[in-house]
Amino acid sequence: MNYKKLTAVFMALGIAATCFSGCGLTEGNGGTSASEPTKAAATAAPKDTATPTPKATAAPKPTKAAAQTGSGSQSGNTGNTSSEAEKEITYINGVLTDSDEDSVTIEYGSDGDFNQTTFDISNADIQIGENKKQGGPLAANLNLKIGYYVENGDYIAVSVYGDGSESMTPSWVYNYEMKSVSGNVRYNDDSTMTIETGSDGDFYEMTFDISSAELDIQVDEVIGVSGLRTSLNVDVNYYVKDGVNIATYVYSDGTEYFSPSQLYNMEQRNTQAEEDTQEYEESGDADYIDEEEETSEDY
């Protein structure tokens, strides 16, 4: 009995141990499947890749056409309030005084109030006469018209135009008073010209530097030629610098004449001849009348 009891106790303990062990394994497997994903589930779903917002791009510089009209397309970035395409274009005329690869300086003004301004031309359209300029210094004294806008205190040119003509700067013209004179060409070459001028027997010669002058000589209808030459009557615009007469403009109708002194001397000789003739005639008439009277009386 005791043996049976003991056997029963051991069997009960064995069943309990087996049940305990099996239940524990079942709970452990179930816990693993619930808490640990399968390999497929273990691969986490990829996170959503956010498309990065592009950095705000400054509005592009205006095209030259847009800049000239003061309008142009803006960037989609509405936060940009300094779009160059909206810059107001201003135009100014002046005479070039200095230039390099990226800039020009012009002088402008009048009546003693003159200014010089330097413009950035690195991105400007440049046209001199019929030719497009591709960089490099421009010639001094060119007459220029510049379209520009102002940014951060800088003068940015969008267009530079010149018809190819040159002139003295306004301050120079103001400081050196322009004069004019008429006369007859006595001598000329490529760089100098001497004329005779004066009147009423007071004649003198003037020599001019004509190396940079505009020559406007009409074609002679008789001989069919133009060009500066001796015996032409000319009108000269000039100024005096360091004692030298600098001609800026020389005009002639193309007809050749005697010089003023030659004409004057011819007139003087003709006048003298007429006076001598008149005196002779008057003197001859008196003698003839006397002779007639004497002859009459004698008769």
Side-chain angles (χ1 to χ4, degrees), residues 44-81:
K47 294 181 180 180
D48 291 336
T49 303
T51 303
T53 304
K55 294 182 180 180
T57 303
K61 292 184 177 181
T63 61
K64 295 177 176 64
Q68 290 175 353
T69 58
S71 62
S73 59
Q74 294 185 1
S75 167
N77 175 22
T78 58
N80 180 17
T81 59

Side-chain angles (χ1 to χ4, degrees), residues 3 35-36 46-47 75 86 89 129 141 184 190 201 204 268 281:
Y3 174 77
S35 61
E36 294 181 11
K47 294 181 180 180
S75 167
E86 296 300 325
I89 306 303
N141 296 112
N184 187 266
D190 291 337
Y204 55 95
Q268 290 298 308
E281 290 178 349

Side-chain angles (χ1 to χ4, degrees), residues 235-259:
D235 299 320
V236 185
N237 293 339
Y238 72 100
Y239 62 91
V240 180
K241 182 179 181 180
D242 299 330
V244 178
N245 299 318
I246 312 295
T248 60
Y249 179 75
V250 179
Y251 171 80
S252 174
D253 62 4
T255 305
E256 298 179 5
Y257 299 87
F258 290 108
S259 68

Side-chain angles (χ1 to χ4, degrees), residues 161-279:
Y161 173 76
D163 61 6
S165 65
E166 299 179 3
S167 67
M168 301 299 175
T169 60
S171 62
W172 189 94
V173 174
Y174 181 81
N175 292 328
Y176 295 94
E177 181 183 1
M178 297 300 292
K179 302 178 181 180
S180 62
V181 66
S182 297
N184 187 266
V185 178
R186 308 306 297 152
Y187 169 84
N188 72 279
D189 57 26
D190 291 337
S191 60
T192 60
M193 174 183 70
T194 299
I195 68 170
E196 183 184 278
T197 187
S199 61
D200 300 329
D202 183 14
F203 303 104
Y204 55 95
E205 292 186 345
M206 295 181 65
T207 299
F208 300 87
D209 180 343
I210 61 171
S211 56
S212 60
E214 177 184 354
L215 303 180
D216 184 7
I217 311 301
Q218 303 299 306
V219 177
D220 182 85
E221 295 181 356
V222 177
I223 60 178
V225 298
S226 63
L228 188 61
R229 58 192 184 275
T230 58
S231 299
L232 289 179
N233 281 351
V234 293
D235 299 320
V236 185
N237 293 339
Y238 72 100
Y239 62 91
V240 180
K241 182 179 181 180
D242 299 330
V244 178
N245 299 318
I246 312 295
T248 60
Y249 179 75
V250 179
Y251 171 80
S252 174
D253 62 4
T255 305
E256 298 179 5
Y257 299 87
F258 290 108
S259 68
S261 61
Q262 288 176 317
L263 289 174
Y264 179 80
N265 291 334
M266 290 172 61
E267 291 174 355
Q268 290 298 308
R269 286 196 295 268
N270 290 338
T271 299
Q272 186 62 47
E274 290 176 357
E275 291 177 353
D276 291 344
T277 300
Q278 185 176 358
E279 290 179 359

Side-chain angles (χ1 to χ4, degrees), residues 1-11:
M1 182 127 180
N2 289 334
Y3 174 77
K4 288 181 180 181
K5 247 184 221 186
L6 184 60
T7 300
V9 169
F10 277 111
M11 289 178 68

